[in-house]
Every structure is written in structure tokens, then in C-alpha cells.
Amino acid sequence: MTQPPLRAVIVPVTPLQQNCSIIWCTTTMKAAVIDPGGDLPRIRAAIAQAGVTVEKILLTHGHIDHAGEAKPLADELGVPIEGPHEEDRFWLARLDEDGRTYGIRGVVFEPDRWLVEGDTVTIGDLILDVYETPGHTRGHVIFHHPPSKLALVGDVLFQGSVGRSDFPGGDHDQLVRSVVEKLWPLGDDTAFIPGHGHASTFAHERASNGFVGDAVLAGQ
């Protein structure tokens, strides 16, 4: 059986049970850590267990449970941080403050590379497409690997739900547009890893999601 080009493991972190993901290129065993919000010992253990070499950190957005310990991990590993979009500078600048609020370590930083729609990020031989998906935060982005039919969507879409839009910069209508205009065109057979909860597919969510399912949106 041939090895898939991409493999991923999910490491739930912080009291908010955020899905930090480690994804890697099976050809090169080079990896990226996506949204390391906290619990670095747990993330380190998962990296060691996978036997991969992390070459960068990717961020979908700047909320504390996704980005709180990105800087310490990047410094420890000697790797750059890519993402999110610059519109989330507001959130990254207040990570220490939000960390105190939630009882999570938060270290303020600026990424080595802000991302915009149309950018790509590489992990070993893998090339992932970047899409801007505002609504949960203004600078939220998602990552998509077309050959694997896999998307990492942060807090835009969940199994059976969508991201909150009641934080500063949130906009529910914009969030729905992000799902319909950016996620659905990637294909019904695309699986996705959300920022919280279980993985799902776009087909399943279009058929059953109470917020952005086809039937719900058709009835509006």
C-alpha cells in the first residue's frame, strides 16, 4: 500500500481543548505545528512520537488558545511562524493579557510571515493553499492540501456548528460567507480538522450543519 503524502495528528491543548495539529510530509518527514496554543510538553511528546522534524509553525488566527505558546515553541525549535493574516495583529498583541484572563500562558509576538489569500505554505514537499476566512476574527486563514483533500479550518467551521462571532472583530454574516464562498468550493469530499471537536467532511456539514447546511441557508 502506498504511503499518503500527508499525515496528521491532533493534540488537544489548553483548558479550551483546542485542536493543535502536527502535519507532516511523509516523503521528507518535515512537519509543521498548527495552532500551538499551550501544553508544550504534550506537543513535544507528539512530535517525538511521530519522529518528525518541525520546520515551521502555522497559525489560523490569533486567539489565545491557538497562538498563546507559538512564540516559545518557535524559539525552542528555532523555526519561523507563518500566519495568520495581519488583521489579527490586534489579537497577537494582547496574548499576555488574554492569557491571564483564561489562565493560559500567552506570549506576545509578531509572526515571521503574515499570510494573505493566494499564498502557499510548504511543509517538506507538501504545498498548502492559504485562504482568507474572516468572521471569527478579521485575520483568520485556513490551509488546504488539494491532493489529500484535507483542510485545516481553525475556528471557522466545526462538526455541527460554526465559530463564535461575538468577539471583537467578529461578524456572523461574514463567517457564513467565508464558509460558503471559501470552504464549500474546495469540494464535498474534503475532510477538515476544526479548531475544536471532531473532524468531519464538508459534505456532512452541508447536509446536517444547523448554521451553514444547505437546507438552512436555502431557507433564509
Side-chain angles (χ1 to χ4, degrees), residues 40 57 67-77 81 105-107 109:
L40 293 191
I57 290 168
E69 290 205 273
K71 177 63 172 167
L73 184 62
D75 288 348
E76 181 183 306
L77 298 175
I81 300 172
R105 183 185 182 202
V107 179
F109 69 95

Side-chain angles (χ1 to χ4, degrees), residues 4 6 14 17 21-22 26 44 74 91 103 107 117 129 146 155 161 163 166 170 172 180 192 198 202 205 220:
L6 179 155
T14 82
Q17 289 296 284
S21 298
I22 302 164
T26 55
R44 282 189 213 106
W91 290 107
V107 179
E117 179 122 1
D129 298 319
D155 285 358
S161 187
D166 57 339
H172 181 74
V180 172
F192 69 92
H198 297 292
F202 292 160
E205 299 312 309
Q220 288 183 352

Side-chain angles (χ1 to χ4, degrees), residues 7 9 22 24 29 45-52:
R7 290 196 64 195
V9 296
I22 302 164
W24 66 91
M29 296 303 281
I47 293 167
Q49 186 171 7
V52 296

Side-chain angles (χ1 to χ4, degrees), residues 2 6 51 63 65-66 81 87 96-97 101 129 133 142 149 152 159 162 168 177 184 190 194-195 205 212 220:
T2 56
L6 179 155
H63 281 166
D65 54 326
H66 292 254
I81 300 172
E87 285 279 358
D96 53 350
E97 180 187 333
T101 301
D129 298 319
T133 50
I142 66 140
K149 298 182 178 177
L152 297 110
Q159 185 186 74
V162 294
R177 283 198 302 276
W184 291 168
T190 298
E205 299 312 309
V212 288
Q220 288 183 352

